[in-house]
Amino acid sequence: MKSSWERMLELFEDEAPDLKPLLTRILEIESMFGSADGKAARQEIENAIVQALSKGLAS
Amino acid sequence: MILRRLEMRNFRCYRKSTSIDFAYGKKNLTLLHGINGAGKTSLFLALNWVLYGKLQSYDGQLLNNNSLKAATELNPATGSVRLEFEHEGFIYNVSRHLIGFKLGNGSIREQQSDLKMLVTRPDGNNDEESANLIETRINRILPEAIRTFFFFDADKMADFTKPGKDRDRAITKAVNEVLKIDALVRGYTHIEELAKTLRKKNYSENDPAINALRGHIQQIEDEVVKVQSEIQADLDESDRNENRIIEIDNELASIAEVAAKAEKRIALDDRLKQLRKELPILRARLAKGCVDALPIVLGPRINGALALLNAKRQKKEIPAKIRDVFLKELIDEASCICGRDLLPGSPEVQKLDAILKSLLPGSLQDKANDLLFELQSVKRNSTERSQEVLDYLRAIQGNLQTQDLTSDAITELGDEIYGDLLAKHKSLERERTELRRSKSYLDGKVGVSGVRLRDLQNRLKMHNKNLESAYAKKEEYKLIAEQLRVMVRCSETLDTVRRKLEKQIANDLGDEATRILLQITKEGYFERVEVESDFILKLYDRSGNEVRAGISAGQTQAASLAFVLAMTQLGGQNAPLVIDTPYARLSEHARQNMSRLVQSLSNQLVLLVTDTEFDAVVKEQLLRHIGKEYVLEFVDGETLLRTGTLG
């Protein structure tokens, strides 16, 4: 049986394939920080978005 | 996560240094068994404590009692728990230490040290993890919030079948964490917050168009917050109402039987009063009926006989004394025969004939026969009245019998269920009706506010898009516009994925829980499990009806186990299952099925069972999976661990 994580990645692929790497990274950041440190998670996400844009993410 | 070794010293009943090597690999089951109180729960607590520090269902002393007896502040008792586990190629050694002593007043002071962690990398090098990162690291491997779904006491586990808003919220939260949906939600919220901050950055204070848009956005955002807080307040009140309704339902269910008895008792009392009232009326009717009936039965006979005899006496055909005797005999016999038909040849007729023959001269025979015919006629006429009298008699008898039965029933019901309870029952029913009305009003109001909120959010979206376009038109704002566009797309995608995932998972969780439940209960009571979009469990019996109450402790445990195990399957968490008293409330049949099933649900399984649970049926099913067996023996106030032969 597919785990919920695998399903999420599949749904990212279906919904927005160009955003999949960024969304996966966002999920990793959220899993890493959990609910304990929202500020750090937001900062990491912002960095990830800036980084993705600098790599030429199609908008 | 794979558990490798647990060491305890001076921890609860484990005074001596005790270690357990966990089984993993092909034979992945570690079985620990002993009598009740032998130390299974202490071992379970040690595992939880060393990883998370806090214990969910225990806040007592952790150091061994005997070691504390002689401990003083200068010479304290010490204890420790150390756990070695493996995760993604890294080996972790975590330990916690305890120190404790007796105070002058006899109370115990116990302190625990910080958690220590030594990490062995795949290349064999060791690192000591900094103290402030250890908990984060453990939480990444097995988050504390979901540990109860992997390390649990099956006897005390949350009852997933019991209704209640607070419980529902707790389950929704836990499932979201186990299935990582909370990461999607947090990601969405964080991106929305980032976008909001970005839009408000003071890049455009000299741009009236952008400033105007930001003003609109701020206004709508304020309104959104207001409507959201209104909705939340209404939802909270509605939840409080529902919780109270559930409480009332439970309370009513618990007193329903007694209240029904109380109602019955009141009805019986009323009936008894009525019967007592009716009785004198029936007696009066009987007395009157008897008075009416007797002269009709006896009167004509006596009068006829008297007239005949008087006529004879006047003609000197019969002496006066014979008349008196005859009269007496006739009255006695008439009394005797008044309840039966006077048929020719019947014993009464023969008897009367004999009397008449013995008392009356031969010439009177014919007259006497006439008298007999007259008596027969009187009898026929009096039957109707006699029947009335009999009916009254039966009614009185019935009344008295019913009074007796009613009194017996009242005695059986007793006095304790009277009055107050019934009043409480009625008052609770009234309160529930009122709460339902209020809840329905609030739910309607939330619906209306929801429509308003969606409208505001759509307007907000539109203004945000306009703002992004305004930014995009200006070279210096292009980066903001790009970032905002990506953020909006990310948050929209995360929201869509969450909704789709919740739907998929609710279906699959229901199917998986049904599969597991039916494997545990086989030909049992349940037909299926359904899981709603907020992950609330619904059980259906074999007739397809939703089961809301009245299921046994064993059925509740089987259903809860099925739900938890289904969730761990779907969560994809690579964690061991450690179950204390897994078979506690299950029937023999369910124990057998559970044993067959449980070892396939995890890469590593640790079962802590009582000797009673570990019967021949369970043993037969588990035998080929047991990698390590430990027998717990409680001797002289401490637990000794013996390696068994089944591993």
Side-chain angles (χ1 to χ4, degrees):
Chain A
M1 183 185 289
K2 281 181 204 155
S3 70
S4 53
W5 184 268
E6 288 165 330
R7 287 159 198 255
M8 282 184 214
L9 300 189
E10 274 183 11
L11 285 166
F12 289 159
E13 181 71 42
D14 295 345
E15 294 296 319
D18 59 325
L19 288 177
K20 188 181 171 188
L22 176 59
L23 291 169
T24 309
R25 177 75 192 125
I26 291 169
L27 272 194
E28 282 168 356
I29 292 167
E30 290 299 350
S31 304
M32 192 165 73
F33 286 98
S35 53
D37 196 350
K39 198 177 165 189
R42 271 198 304 276
Q43 184 60 56
E44 284 289 321
I45 290 172
E46 192 173 12
N47 293 343
I49 290 172
V50 171
Q51 211 176 354
L53 279 167
S54 72
K55 283 181 184 168
L57 172 74
S59 52
Chain B
M1 183 191 202
I2 293 168
L3 301 174
R4 289 166 61 119
R5 188 179 170 85
L6 179 74
E7 292 171 8
M8 296 165 287
R9 186 183 57 80
N10 256 342
F11 184 83
R12 286 176 46 105
C13 53
Y14 293 90
R15 185 168 191 186
K16 290 182 186 134
S17 186
T18 307
S19 62
I20 294 158
D21 290 310
F22 294 102
Y24 52 93
K26 203 175 172 192
K27 285 188 164 191
N28 64 356
L29 168 61
T30 306
L31 183 83
L32 297 117
H33 61 97
I35 55 163
N36 266 327
K40 293 182 300 301
T41 303
S42 292
L43 204 149
F44 184 74
L45 290 176
L47 200 53
N48 271 279
W49 179 72
V50 72
L51 285 170
Y52 303 103
K54 296 179 284 283
L55 294 171
Q56 288 185 318
S57 54
Y58 181 78
D59 58 358
Q61 172 196 315
L62 295 176
L63 274 167
N64 178 270
N65 252 335
N66 291 338
S67 72
L68 280 163
K69 277 180 188 161
T72 62
E73 195 164 357
L74 291 172
N75 186 23
T78 59
S80 64
V81 178
R82 180 185 300 277
L83 175 71
E84 184 182 302
F85 64 91
E86 193 182 325
H87 186 66
E88 294 176 348
F90 290 74
I91 294 167
Y92 298 84
N93 256 290
V94 290
S95 60
R96 281 184 200 272
H97 295 262
L98 286 161
I99 182 164
F101 51 87
K102 258 188 186 169
L103 293 170
N105 61 8
S107 63
I108 306 285
R109 175 168 289 175
E110 194 176 80
Q111 289 172 326
Q112 45 178 284
S113 72
D114 288 335
L115 180 63
K116 287 196 172 118
M117 177 186 268
L118 187 72
V119 186
T120 307
R121 296 169 181 279
D123 60 13
N125 289 327
N126 290 334
D127 277 330
E128 186 153 355
E129 186 63 276
S130 7
N132 57 339
L133 290 177
I134 298 177
E135 282 188 8
T136 312
R137 196 141 186 177
I138 287 178
N139 269 291
R140 276 184 214 158
I141 296 167
L142 185 63
E144 187 183 350
I146 64 169
R147 67 165 146 158
T148 45
F149 296 102
F150 295 92
F151 299 174
F152 59 86
D153 179 345
D155 197 21
K156 293 177 190 156
M157 70 191 300
D159 180 358
F160 291 96
T161 61
K162 210 172 167 180
K165 270 280 162 189
D166 294 340
R167 182 211 64 120
D168 288 354
R169 261 196 293 267
I171 291 178
T172 308
K173 188 171 179 288
V175 178
N176 274 314
E177 287 189 43
V178 175
L179 304 181
K180 301 181 183 72
I181 295 168
D182 63 330
L184 280 176
V185 177
R186 280 199 306 274
Y188 170 86
T189 313
H190 286 150
I191 293 171
E192 284 283 295
E193 284 166 3
L194 284 170
K196 205 169 163 180
T197 315
L198 203 59
R199 285 183 195 112
K200 284 178 187 165
K201 273 193 178 170
N202 200 14
Y203 289 117
S204 53
E205 57 184 12
N206 299 320
D207 189 322
I210 287 180
N211 276 344
L213 275 169
R214 285 169 55 189
H216 285 312
I217 288 170
Q218 186 59 54
Q219 209 179 347
I220 297 172
E221 276 177 354
D222 290 346
E223 213 168 331
V224 164
V225 170
K226 197 177 147 206
V227 176
Q228 275 174 337
S229 66
E230 274 173 19
I231 290 177
Q232 196 52 53
D234 289 341
L235 281 174
D236 287 348
E237 197 180 336
S238 175
D239 282 358
R240 278 195 296 276
N241 284 354
E242 190 171 335
N243 276 334
R244 179 66 191 137
I245 289 170
I246 290 165
E247 267 176 33
I248 292 175
D249 280 345
N250 291 336
E251 219 171 326
L252 283 174
S254 71
I255 61 171
E257 201 184 327
V258 188
K261 279 185 182 174
E263 268 186 18
K264 194 175 166 192
R265 166 75 192 259
I266 286 173
L268 286 170
D269 279 347
D270 289 347
R271 177 84 182 117
L272 193 59
K273 269 183 211 160
Q274 184 65 25
L275 287 167
R276 282 177 180 155
K277 215 165 144 185
E278 278 171 10
L279 190 60
I281 299 168
L282 284 170
R283 277 186 178 142
R285 281 185 191 156
L286 178 67
K288 188 174 181 298
C290 288
V291 171
D292 288 347
L294 278 173
I296 294 168
V297 175
L298 297 176
R301 297 177 191 170
I302 296 162
N303 292 340
L306 278 174
L308 178 68
L309 292 171
N310 278 331
K312 295 296 170 193
R313 191 173 58 83
Q314 279 164 11
K315 290 178 188 173
K316 307 216 186 294
E317 287 177 355
I318 189 165
K321 65 175 183 179
I322 292 177
R323 167 191 168 263
D324 293 340
V325 174
F326 170 73
L327 186 60
K328 187 176 177 300
E329 292 282 344
L330 186 61
I331 289 169
D332 288 347
E333 288 307 313
S335 298
C336 165
I337 62 176
C338 72
R340 275 178 277 177
D341 286 335
L342 293 173
L343 298 172
S346 67
E348 290 85 359
V349 172
Q350 286 174 13
K351 175 84 178 167
L352 198 57
D353 193 34
I355 292 168
L356 291 173
K357 274 180 183 165
S358 67
L359 293 175
L360 299 175
S363 58
L364 288 179
Q365 279 297 309
D366 292 341
K367 293 288 178 191
N369 284 340
D370 289 344
L371 180 62
L372 276 179
F373 287 127
E374 189 190 342
L375 284 174
Q376 280 177 330
S377 160
V378 167
K379 175 71 179 75
R380 274 194 301 276
N381 292 336
S382 69
T383 301
E384 212 173 289
R385 289 300 174 92
S386 299
Q387 191 57 47
E388 267 178 31
V389 171
L390 281 175
D391 286 346
Y392 291 140
L393 274 170
R394 283 196 193 105
I396 288 172
Q397 197 181 11
N399 180 299
L400 288 168
Q401 275 175 355
T402 314
Q403 281 199 36
D404 284 349
L405 289 172
T406 311
S407 296
D408 288 349
I410 288 170
T411 310
E412 202 178 311
L413 284 172
D415 287 331
E416 80 278 7
I417 51 170
Y418 219 50
D420 287 352
L421 202 57
L422 195 62
K424 189 180 174 189
H425 195 269
K426 282 185 178 151
S427 142
L428 284 172
E429 276 182 332
R430 272 198 301 276
E431 190 188 348
R432 185 171 61 177
T433 309
E434 199 49 50
L435 286 166
R436 279 180 178 156
R437 196 174 298 138
S438 158
K439 186 176 168 353
S440 160
Y441 165 74
L442 287 166
D443 291 347
K445 198 172 155 214
V446 167
V448 173
S449 302
V451 172
R452 175 151 172 66
L453 185 64
R454 275 193 292 281
D455 177 51
L456 286 168
Q457 281 167 336
N458 286 337
R459 280 169 57 199
L460 195 60
K461 211 179 258 181
M462 189 184 76
H463 285 302
N464 280 334
K465 274 203 171 130
N466 291 341
L467 186 65
E468 282 155 34
S469 308
Y471 279 145
K473 280 178 195 159
K474 294 180 178 290
E475 194 59 37
E476 72 260 42
Y477 302 143
K478 269 194 175 161
L479 183 62
I480 301 177
E482 263 186 77
Q483 284 186 10
L484 277 174
R485 219 171 7 245
V486 170
M487 284 177 186
V488 170
R489 282 192 65 215
C490 281
S491 64
E492 281 176 356
T493 312
L494 286 174
D495 196 40
T496 311
V497 167
R498 178 190 55 79
R499 276 187 279 110
K500 288 190 174 177
L501 190 71
E502 278 176 353
K503 207 171 167 188
Q504 271 187 21
I505 281 181
N507 285 336
D508 288 357
L509 196 56
D511 290 349
E512 185 65 3
T514 302
R515 187 184 71 81
I516 295 174
L517 182 60
L518 296 186
Q519 281 197 44
I520 297 175
T521 58
K522 294 276 182 198
E523 299 300 313
Y525 177 64
F526 300 110
E527 182 203 55
R528 70 181 194 281
V529 176
E530 274 185 14
V531 178
E532 297 182 318
S533 57
D534 53 0
F535 306 121
I536 301 310
L537 186 73
K538 280 188 168 180
L539 294 164
Y540 292 86
D541 65 17
R542 294 179 75 80
S543 322
N545 299 320
E546 191 188 340
V547 181
R548 295 181 74 89
I551 56 174
S552 70
Q555 288 165 335
T556 301
Q557 192 188 9
S560 299
L561 269 171
F563 186 59
V564 170
L565 295 174
M567 209 155 51
T568 56
Q569 293 300 292
L570 236 74
Q573 198 90 26
N574 183 18
L577 270 178
V578 181
I579 316 179
D580 192 6
T581 53
Y583 306 104
R585 294 167 191 273
L586 300 181
S587 66
E588 185 185 323
H589 187 58
R591 284 206 306 274
Q592 186 177 16
N593 299 330
M594 171 80 179
S595 306
R596 204 176 293 144
L597 169 84
V598 76
Q599 50 76 33
S600 67
L601 295 175
S602 174
N603 290 333
Q604 190 181 29
L605 181 65
V606 180
L607 294 182
L608 302 155
V609 299
T610 60
D611 283 337
T612 327
E613 285 179 283
F614 189 52
D615 58 14
V617 172
V618 171
K619 191 172 177 179
E620 190 194 335
Q621 292 301 326
L622 296 180
L623 201 55
R624 64 201 167 95
H625 305 289
I626 298 174
K628 297 273 181 191
E629 183 212 5
Y630 292 96
V631 184
L632 282 73
E633 288 168 335
F634 196 66
V635 183
D636 298 333
E638 60 181 283
T639 299
L640 302 175
L641 211 63
R642 182 165 59 76
T643 310
T645 54
L646 299 176

Coordinates of all heavy atoms in Angstrom, one line a residue, chain B residues 30-33 614 626-633 641-647:
Chain B
T30 N 10.0 -9.8 19.4 CA 10.6 -9.9 20.7 C 9.4 -10.1 21.7 O 8.5 -9.3 21.7 CB 11.4 -8.7 21.2 OG1 12.3 -8.4 20.2 CG2 12.0 -8.9 22.5
L31 N 9.4 -11.2 22.4 CA 8.3 -11.5 23.3 C 8.7 -11.5 24.7 O 9.7 -12.1 25.1 CB 7.7 -12.9 23.0 CG 6.5 -13.3 23.8 CD1 5.3 -12.7 23.1 CD2 6.4 -14.8 23.9
L32 N 8.1 -10.6 25.5 CA 8.4 -10.6 26.9 C 7.1 -11.0 27.7 O 6.1 -10.4 27.5 CB 8.8 -9.2 27.3 CG 10.1 -8.7 26.6 CD1 9.8 -7.5 25.7 CD2 11.2 -8.4 27.6
H33 N 7.2 -11.9 28.5 CA 6.0 -12.3 29.2 C 6.3 -12.7 30.7 O 7.4 -13.0 31.1 CB 5.3 -13.5 28.6 CG 6.1 -14.8 28.5 ND1 6.0 -15.8 29.4 CD2 7.1 -15.1 27.6 CE1 6.8 -16.8 29.0 NE2 7.5 -16.4 27.9
F614 N -0.6 -15.3 27.1 CA 0.3 -16.1 26.3 C -0.1 -17.6 26.5 O 0.6 -18.4 27.0 CB 1.8 -15.9 26.7 CG 2.8 -16.5 25.8 CD1 2.8 -16.3 24.5 CD2 3.8 -17.3 26.3 CE1 3.7 -16.9 23.6 CE2 4.7 -17.9 25.5 CZ 4.7 -17.7 24.1
I626 N 9.1 -15.6 16.7 CA 9.8 -15.2 17.9 C 11.3 -15.2 17.7 O 11.9 -16.3 17.4 CB 9.4 -16.0 19.1 CG1 7.9 -15.9 19.4 CG2 10.2 -15.6 20.4 CD1 7.4 -16.7 20.5
G627 N 11.9 -14.0 17.7 CA 13.4 -14.0 17.6 C 14.1 -14.0 18.9 O 15.1 -14.5 19.1
K628 N 13.4 -13.3 19.9 CA 13.9 -13.3 21.3 C 12.7 -13.5 22.2 O 11.6 -12.9 22.0 CB 14.5 -11.9 21.6 CG 15.7 -11.6 20.8 CD 17.0 -12.1 21.4 CE 18.2 -11.7 20.5 NZ 19.4 -12.4 20.9
E629 N 13.0 -14.3 23.3 CA 11.9 -14.5 24.3 C 12.5 -14.2 25.7 O 13.7 -14.6 25.9 CB 11.4 -15.9 24.3 CG 10.3 -16.1 25.3 CD 10.3 -17.5 25.8 OE1 11.2 -18.3 25.6 OE2 9.3 -17.8 26.6
Y630 N 11.8 -13.4 26.4 CA 12.3 -13.1 27.8 C 11.2 -13.4 28.8 O 10.0 -13.1 28.5 CB 12.7 -11.6 27.9 CG 13.9 -11.3 27.2 CD1 13.8 -10.7 25.9 CD2 15.2 -11.5 27.7 CE1 15.0 -10.4 25.2 CE2 16.4 -11.2 26.9 CZ 16.2 -10.6 25.7 OH 17.3 -10.3 25.0
V631 N 11.5 -14.0 29.9 CA 10.6 -14.3 30.9 C 10.8 -13.4 32.1 O 12.0 -13.3 32.5 CB 10.7 -15.8 31.4 CG1 9.6 -16.1 32.4 CG2 10.6 -16.7 30.2
L632 N 9.8 -12.7 32.5 CA 9.9 -11.7 33.6 C 9.5 -12.4 34.9 O 8.4 -12.9 35.0 CB 9.1 -10.5 33.3 CG 9.6 -9.5 32.3 CD1 9.5 -10.0 30.9 CD2 8.8 -8.2 32.5
E633 N 10.4 -12.4 35.9 CA 10.1 -13.0 37.2 C 10.2 -12.0 38.3 O 11.2 -11.2 38.3 CB 11.0 -14.2 37.4 CG 10.6 -15.4 36.5 CD 11.7 -16.5 36.5 OE1 12.9 -16.2 36.8 OE2 11.3 -17.6 36.2
L641 N 15.1 -10.9 34.8 CA 14.8 -11.2 33.4 C 15.6 -12.5 33.0 O 16.8 -12.6 33.2 CB 15.3 -10.0 32.5 CG 14.5 -9.8 31.2 CD1 13.1 -9.4 31.6 CD2 15.2 -8.6 30.5
R642 N 14.8 -13.4 32.5 CA 15.5 -14.7 32.1 C 15.2 -14.9 30.6 O 14.1 -14.6 30.1 CB 14.8 -15.8 32.9 CG 15.3 -17.2 32.6 CD 14.9 -18.2 33.7 NE 13.4 -18.3 33.8 CZ 12.7 -18.9 33.0 NH1 13.2 -19.6 32.0 NH2 11.3 -19.0 33.2
T643 N 16.3 -15.3 29.9 CA 16.1 -15.5 28.5 C 15.4 -16.8 28.3 O 15.8 -17.8 28.8 CB 17.5 -15.6 27.8 OG1 18.3 -14.4 28.2 CG2 17.4 -15.6 26.3
G644 N 14.4 -16.7 27.4 CA 13.6 -17.9 27.2 C 14.2 -18.8 26.1 O 15.2 -18.4 25.5
T645 N 13.5 -19.9 25.8 CA 14.1 -20.9 24.9 C 13.4 -20.8 23.5 O 13.7 -21.5 22.6 CB 13.9 -22.3 25.4 OG1 12.5 -22.5 25.7 CG2 14.8 -22.5 26.6
L646 N 12.4 -19.9 23.4 CA 11.6 -19.9 22.2 C 12.3 -19.1 21.1 O 11.9 -19.2 19.9 CB 10.2 -19.3 22.4 CG 9.3 -20.1 23.4 CD1 8.0 -19.4 23.6 CD2 9.1 -21.5 22.9
G647 N 13.3 -18.3 21.4 CA 13.9 -17.4 20.4 C 14.9 -18.1 19.5 O 15.4 -19.1 19.9

